[in-house]
């Protein structure tokens, strides 16, 4: 790295500082103020509230009091660890599937679409014009037992394949792990495609020509030039898919069954039905920390191996 | 991939044509570039230089015509199989790879042995060995240019294509890099096809220059013969400056041609007139014109100085002739007094320095304007 000396406000320490310059240098901080306030009110404060709640004991009738009872975490984890791991499993699968579907899509839009580029991009985000809930409900219809998708799966023995992989139990697609993962993949696909598109679109086509000129066949040129240069988009897209997918509770609720319960569903239930706030808060916190660790490890690996 | 091994041989372009829609970018171009030569393609912006190179590199498909290296027809060969490498107009270095890996890219793709040794050697040649682990963005423009060159020559291609590789450099660095390029070419002995729109660059570096205009080759030859014997007004104006005066041929006797310019008689060698018609442009280079106080010898005409620009090593004058046309005259500042506007002088030049061109051509073709724009250059790219 080159050593750059950054002096806040842009004035060199040795140079005589005029008062006017001083005042000007405060402007960036003033501009930051709304953002910082927003973070404090809507992120830091709820976080503290949640943390304190996870350390309280009591019941909904007698009220909760802060007793620093760390044991709630252990109890919650031993009761719900399978849902937690399942969530990460589903989210990871949906992320990989999203990448497999999204990369070719983004690649095509960026390099091959020509004047259809903008139309295709609008189509990618078109699902956002209806609500998340409605879109997921639509999948119930799509995957229903008498629908064409199920018919196709049954006719082509894909159903048998899924059954042998334990992704479906009977002869239906709805209310199975398969349906949940499909729902997650579908719902978060735009979050995968858009960052991928942004980084692919920035690649200078002449670099690919240079690759070809230097004896790289098209596939090698992709592997050695396009793919490494699109990695920032891959990292961004996978994070934007994995993180919300891991905490999602709509897809597993509407498309799954009792054995596909994800951690988001558990938290939702503990907060709103069981009214066991400490457990719900402890699970929320655990989920957040786990995601943080996974993301940190992932970014690190991606960062050191390819991006630098 | 053994097919990329350098086989040697001259580069032949045969009736090469490229159309973009109805626009003809390269028009029936035929050329032979001898192996091991330094060949320059010179022409104004948009004349089809890059398009020609891209067809040789395989990045653009010709509409018609063939490309051969030696006896091998490579017209339909994929770019990654051609024994040709390009130094791109904008370098196109891989930003995610360091200098070493950029240079090693071609070698690795071909599964070369001792990549490290070869890369180290070529980095040594371009004097950048100490920066091998830097990223391209951490280099200066001149250094990047050298890396782009190293990345190409390390593969020992049969033909090296250079697309205005010095275009982004400032004048001083450019002159330095020109010498360096020439040195490297002599050292490695590859065929260099160098595209430029800087005529000085082409003249100092190339063995052979092809002057291109509107997708065609106007003239081909070594720098001196192009400069001394331009065959079109475009070449006469584009390579250096020329004075072109309308003249009528009055007699063709033996070796000489006698012409009349508004009542004054001039002679020139018959071999230096490319037109058989009686209407010609009589041409003479500004530095070939002598300025005298009295009429002396043949090819003399009276004029009045209208403008003087002092350039240091020389002074450039505009001298208006009796019938209104102004001639450009360049005189070395060898101690003779500077002429003042309004002064009457006799201009004269050797008949041997006079050339004749067909009068049907535009006398202003290829004239460079103040900002370096060209008058009839077609579209800029
Ligand atoms: N892909 C393309 N589609 C349409 N026209 C093109 C295309 N590529 C080049 N042209 C046109 O072909 C002509 C020649 O372009 P080219 O890039 O070969 O010029 P050049 O001689 O390299 O110019 P410069 O010195 O500015 O680089 C230009 O008029 C340009 O507009
Ligand atoms: Mg060009």
């Amino acid at each position: 790295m080159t050593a750059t000396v950054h002096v806040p406000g842009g004035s060199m320490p040795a140079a005589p500082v005029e008062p006017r310059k001083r005042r000007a240098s405060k402007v960036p901080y003033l501009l930051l103020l709304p953002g910082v306030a927003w973070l404090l009110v809507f992120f830091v404060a709820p976080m503290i509230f949640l943390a304190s709640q996870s350390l309280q004991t009591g019941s909904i009738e007698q009220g909760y009091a802060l007793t620093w009872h760390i044991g709630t975490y252990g109890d919650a984890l031993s009761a719900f660890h399978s849902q937690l791991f399942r969530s990460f499993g589903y989210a990871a699968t949906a992320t990989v599937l999203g990448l497999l579907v999204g990369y070719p899509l983004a690649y095509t839009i960026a390099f091959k679409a020509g004047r259809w580029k903008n139309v295709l991009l609008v189509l990618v985000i078109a699902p956002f014009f209806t609500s998340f809930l409605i879109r997921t409900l639509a999948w119930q219809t799509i995957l229903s037992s008498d629908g064409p998708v199920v018919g196709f799966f049954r006719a082509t023995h894909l159903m048998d394949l899924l059954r042998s992989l334990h992704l479906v139990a009977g002869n239906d697609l709805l209310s199975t792990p398969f349906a949940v993962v499909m729902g997650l993949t579908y719902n978060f696909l735009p979050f995968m495609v858009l960052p991928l598109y942004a980084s692919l679109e920035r690649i200078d086509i002449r670099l690919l020509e240079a690759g070809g000129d230097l004896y790289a066949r098209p596939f090698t040129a992709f592997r050695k030039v396009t793919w490494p240069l699109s990695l920032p988009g891959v990292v961004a897209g996978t994070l934007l898919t994995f993180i919300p997918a891991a905490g999602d509770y709509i897809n597993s609720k509407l498309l799954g069954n009792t054995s596909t319960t994800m951690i988001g569903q558990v938290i939702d239930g503990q907060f709103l039905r069981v009214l066991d706030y400490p457990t719900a808060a402890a699970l929320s916190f655990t989920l957040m920390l786990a995601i943080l660790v996974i993301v940190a490890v992932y970014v690190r690996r991606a960062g050191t191996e390819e991006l630098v | 991939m053994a097919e990329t091994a350098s086989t040697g041989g001259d580069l032949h372009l045969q009736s090469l044509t490229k159309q973009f829609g109805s626009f003809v970018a390269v028009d029936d171009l035929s050329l032979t570039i001898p192996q091991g030569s330094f060949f320059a393609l010179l022409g104004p912006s948009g004349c089809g230089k890059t398009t020609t190179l891209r067809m040789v590199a395989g990045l653009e498909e010709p509409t018609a015509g063939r490309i051969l290296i030696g006896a091998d027809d490579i017209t339909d060969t994929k770019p990654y199989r051609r024994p040709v490498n390009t130094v791109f107009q904008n370098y196109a270095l891989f930003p995610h790879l360091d200098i070493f890996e950029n240079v090693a890219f071609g070698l690795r793709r071909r599964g070369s042995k001792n990549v490290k040794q070869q890369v180290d050697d070529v980095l040594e040649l371009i004097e950048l060995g100490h920066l091998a682990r830097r990223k391209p963005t951490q280099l200066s423009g001149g250094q990047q240019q050298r890396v782009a060159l190293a990345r190409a020559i390390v593969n020992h291609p049969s033909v090296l294509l250079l697309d205005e590789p010095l275009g982004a450099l400032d004048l001083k660095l450019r002159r330095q890099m020109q010498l360096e390029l020439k040195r490297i070419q002599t050292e490695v002995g590859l065929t260099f096809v160098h595209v430029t729109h800087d005529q000085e660059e082409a003249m100092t570096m190339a063995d052979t220059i092809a002057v291109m205009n509107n997708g065609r080759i106007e003239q081909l030859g070594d720098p001196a013969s192009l400069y001394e014997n331009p065959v079109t007004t475009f070449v006469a104006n584009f390579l250096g400056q020329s004075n072109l005066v309308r003249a009528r041929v009055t007699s063709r006797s033996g070796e000489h041609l006698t012409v009349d310019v508004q009542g004054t008689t001039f002679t020139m060698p018959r071999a230096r007139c490319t037109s058989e018609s009686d209407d010609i442009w009589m041409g003479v280079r500004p530095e070939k014109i002598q300025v005298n106080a009295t009429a002396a010898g043949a090819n003399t005409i009276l004029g009045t100085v209208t403008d003087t620009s002092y350039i240091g090593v020389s002074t450039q004058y505009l001298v208006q002739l009796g019938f209104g046309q102004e001639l450009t005259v360049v005189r070395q500042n060898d101690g003779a007094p500077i002429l003042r506007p309004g002064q009457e002088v006799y201009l004269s030049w050797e008949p041997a320095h006079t050339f004749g061109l067909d009068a049907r051509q535009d006398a202003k073709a290829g004239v460079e304007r103040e900002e370096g724009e060209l008058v009839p250059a077609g579209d800029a790219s």
Side-chain angles (χ1 to χ4, degrees), chain B residues 229-250:
Chain B
N229 292 311
V231 298
T232 64
T233 54
F234 178 85
V235 177
N237 290 320
F238 191 71
L239 272 184
Q241 285 175 293
S242 291
N243 293 299
L244 297 176
V245 183
R246 193 46 128 358
R248 265 202 80 76
V249 176
T250 49

Side-chain angles (χ1 to χ4, degrees), chain B residues 116-303:
Chain B
K116 167 124 183 58
Q117 187 58 46
Q118 294 189 56
V119 174
D120 285 344
D121 285 350
V122 75
L123 286 179
E124 186 79 15
L125 182 71
I126 59 162
E127 294 161 9
L128 285 181
H130 58 294
L131 299 180
R133 290 299 162 196
R134 289 243 194 120
K135 287 287 172 64
T137 48
Q138 297 169 324
L139 300 188
S140 73
Q143 291 168 335
Q144 289 183 27
Q145 192 273 320
R146 280 185 276 168
V147 174
L149 182 66
R151 185 176 73 170
I153 59 175
V154 74
N155 301 296
H156 296 288
S158 301
V159 178
L160 184 71
L161 307 173
L162 302 109
D163 193 356
E164 300 194 37
L166 310 180
L169 307 182
D170 66 45
L171 197 66
K172 191 147 174 275
L173 192 55
R174 198 151 153 173
R175 296 281 169 258
Q176 196 183 322
M177 289 303 304
Q178 285 172 3
L179 296 176
E180 207 154 330
L181 259 185
K182 186 70 192 164
R183 171 180 69 84
I184 290 170
Q185 195 261 340
T186 330
E187 230 159 282
V188 296
L190 301 175
T191 310
F192 273 38
V193 181
H194 183 102
V195 157
T196 178
H197 59 239
D198 177 345
Q199 45 121 343
E200 221 174 295
E201 187 171 300
M203 304 257 263
T204 49
M205 296 170 81
D207 307 321
T208 312
I209 300 176
V211 181
M212 248 183 116
N213 187 29
N214 290 330
R216 294 175 159 277
I217 297 222
E218 292 259 338
Q219 193 177 353
L220 184 115
D222 63 275
S225 66
L226 281 188
Y227 187 79
E228 299 300 339
N229 292 311
V231 298
T232 64
T233 54
F234 178 85
V235 177
N237 290 320
F238 191 71
L239 272 184
Q241 285 175 293
S242 291
N243 293 299
L244 297 176
V245 183
R246 193 46 128 358
R248 265 202 80 76
V249 176
T250 49
S251 83
R252 296 169 199 271
S253 56
E255 300 281 283
H256 286 276
L257 202 65
T258 312
V259 298
D260 170 76
V261 177
Q262 311 270 341
T264 314
T265 303
F266 293 90
T267 53
M268 71 171 85
R270 204 168 165 179
R272 300 199 69 197
C273 182
T274 55
S275 173
E276 287 305 313
S277 135
D278 281 348
D279 262 326
I280 62 165
W281 292 111
M282 179 184 72
V284 60
R285 296 286 189 181
E287 75 280 2
K288 300 287 182 354
I289 301 178
Q290 313 285 324
V291 182
N292 304 304
T294 54
N299 287 5
T300 300
I301 192 163
L302 180 67

Side-chain angles (χ1 to χ4, degrees), chain A:
Chain A
M1 284 309 293
T2 44
T4 45
V5 183
H6 180 72
V7 182
S11 56
M12 298 298 289
V17 182
E18 296 159 41
R20 199 189 262 168
K21 247 189 175 171
R22 265 249 152 119
R23 207 174 308 139
S25 72
K26 280 189 183 150
V27 170
Y29 298 103
L30 285 175
L31 289 173
L32 269 178
L33 216 58
V36 171
W38 191 89
L39 265 181
L40 281 175
V41 172
F42 293 105
F43 183 71
V44 177
M47 265 346 248
I48 293 170
F49 180 72
L50 200 65
S52 99
Q53 205 167 36
S54 71
L55 298 170
Q56 293 172 359
T57 46
S59 68
I60 190 73
E61 293 83 17
Q62 289 140 25
Y64 291 101
L66 184 60
T67 55
W68 300 97
H69 181 72
I70 202 92
T72 311
Y73 280 85
D75 298 343
L77 265 185
S78 62
F80 300 113
H81 64 269
S82 60
Q83 284 89 335
L84 189 64
F85 289 127
R86 186 181 296 134
S87 299
F88 290 137
Y90 286 0
T93 313
T95 305
V96 171
L97 288 176
L99 187 62
L100 289 178
V101 176
Y103 202 98
L105 183 58
Y107 186 91
T108 310
I109 298 176
F111 292 126
K112 313 275 178 202
R115 62 205 176 87
W116 295 100
K117 212 178 237 185
N118 291 330
V119 176
L120 289 173
L121 279 176
V122 169
L123 286 179
V124 167
I125 53 169
F128 286 136
F129 297 150
T130 57
S131 98
F132 188 71
L133 205 60
I134 304 227
R135 277 181 282 141
T136 312
L137 280 170
W139 273 83
Q140 286 191 338
T141 316
I142 293 171
L143 297 179
S144 63
S145 334
D146 47 2
V149 178
V150 169
F152 175 77
F153 271 63
R154 283 177 188 157
T156 55
H157 300 286
L158 276 172
M159 195 66 91
D160 303 327
L161 178 73
L162 291 179
R163 200 179 303 113
S164 64
L165 293 170
H166 299 287
L167 289 173
V168 301
N171 215 14
D172 273 319
L173 290 178
L174 204 58
S175 307
T176 61
F178 174 78
V180 177
V181 172
M182 283 303 113
L184 289 172
T185 309
Y186 159 77
N187 272 313
F188 297 109
L189 193 61
F191 296 109
M192 180 66 87
V193 174
L194 292 180
L196 280 176
Y197 167 79
S199 70
L200 283 168
E201 209 256 349
R202 275 212 323 259
I203 295 178
D204 188 344
I205 206 84
R206 285 171 294 196
L207 293 176
L208 303 182
E209 291 183 346
D213 188 65
L214 292 163
Y215 314 111
R217 287 146 186 283
F219 182 69
T220 317
F222 171 79
R223 213 161 44 84
K224 293 290 176 186
V225 183
T226 314
W227 174 256
L229 288 175
S230 69
L231 270 185
V234 173
V235 171
T238 47
L239 288 182
L240 284 177
T241 308
F242 179 81
I243 296 171
D248 181 73
Y249 63 99
I250 301 280
N251 286 283
S252 58
K253 195 166 172 175
L254 296 182
L255 303 174
N257 58 34
T258 45
S259 61
T260 64
T261 312
M262 288 173 70
I263 195 68
Q265 249 175 305
V266 175
I267 296 171
D268 172 52
Q270 293 292 320
F271 260 125
L272 300 178
R273 274 184 301 284
V274 185
L275 303 178
D276 182 352
Y277 297 152
T279 302
L283 282 174
S284 301
F285 234 80
T286 311
L287 175 64
M288 204 185 70
L289 283 179
I291 289 178
L292 219 66
V293 170
I294 292 173
V295 167
V297 170
Y298 173 67
V299 168
R300 245 197 148 182
R301 275 186 56 95
T304 47
E305 279 181 4
E306 303 281 2
L307 293 183
V308 177

Side-chain angles (χ1 to χ4, degrees), chain B residues 18-21 23-26 43-54 60 89 163-164 195-197 212 377-381:
Chain B
K18 178 68 192 181
Q19 298 189 355
F20 295 107
F23 176 76
V24 185
V26 174
S45 185
C47 72
K49 306 181 297 290
T50 298
T51 308
T52 307
L53 277 205
R54 287 173 61 83
E60 205 84 68
Q89 197 159 5
D163 193 356
E164 300 194 37
V195 157
T196 178
H197 59 239
M212 248 183 116
D379 297 315
S381 71

